[in-house]
Every structure is written in structure tokens, then in C-alpha cells.
Amino acid sequence: MTPPFEIRIAERAMAEIRRISRWWRRHRRAAPLLFDRELDAMINMLEVHPEIGTRRRLAGVGDVHVLLLRKSRYLVAYQIAPDEQQVWIVRVRYASRRPIMHPR
């Protein structure tokens, strides 16, 4: 069995995650932890199945995989470094914003 991938978070993505989490906790009183829980579940899935995201090209980053956090409606863009057994989360943004990604 292949060991799990290590999940790493780029500085920009970490800043986005913190901002989103803070906003969600302040403004979504019915489900203040929804974003955090969805992101945690996605990270757990990526440790074992990093290839599950849709492949896209991200301006300024290059080729990425993208997953949608369905309930909170955020897109998570990440890159896979198979030789290092790592997944790098590079961007997190609201899905309804103007597109920043193009199909590969």
C-alpha cells in the first residue's frame, strides 16, 4: 500500500483559508464550522487520492487540480508532487467569482 501524501499549504492559500474561515465563523451562524469541516475532509481525501480533482491551468501558477467544497462553495486548487509524496494547496477562492482557471 502506498503511504499517504503529505499535505502542504502555500503561504497565499493559508492566508486565504484563514480569511475565509474567519468570515464563515462570523457570518454563518447556523453552520460556523462548515468551511473548516469541508476543507478538513477534502484534505483527508487528498492524502490518499490526490488525483481526484479536475485538471485546470491556473494563471500565475500553471497546471493544478481543482476540487469544489460543495456546501460552502469554495474551490481548492492544488498541485501534486509525486516524487516527494506531497500535495500543495496553492489557492482557495469562492466558486462564483469570475473564472481564474482554464481547462487544460
Side-chain angles (χ1 to χ4, degrees):
M1 182 169 163
T2 306
F5 277 66
E6 177 185 7
I7 306 300
R8 307 295 305 256
I9 302 175
E11 189 174 319
R12 179 177 182 173
M14 183 57 78
E16 293 165 344
I17 290 167
R18 286 185 181 125
R19 181 182 45 77
I20 294 163
S21 180
R22 204 170 29 250
W23 184 93
W24 204 267
R25 289 170 188 257
R26 288 181 186 153
H27 296 91
R28 298 293 182 170
R29 297 192 192 276
L33 299 177
L34 178 66
F35 171 77
D36 296 334
R37 288 179 178 154
E38 273 194 300
L39 183 63
D40 286 346
M42 187 213 67
I43 287 171
N44 289 336
M45 180 69 74
L46 287 178
E47 289 176 340
V48 182
H49 302 290
E51 71 288 342
I52 61 175
T54 303
R55 295 185 75 167
R56 296 280 188 241
R57 183 169 302 274
L58 178 61
V61 176
D63 293 338
V64 297
H65 293 255
V66 178
L67 285 174
L68 174 66
L69 302 178
R70 292 188 189 283
K71 292 180 181 177
S72 59
R73 306 287 304 149
Y74 281 87
L75 293 172
V76 177
Y78 63 94
Q79 294 177 313
I80 302 170
D83 293 340
E84 292 84 21
Q85 281 295 105
Q86 293 179 339
V87 170
W88 278 89
I89 296 175
V90 294
R91 292 290 304 274
V92 181
R93 63 176 282 155
Y94 193 62
S96 294
R97 291 178 60 187
R98 70 177 172 79
I100 60 166
M101 293 166 245
H102 307 285
R104 260 185 54 144

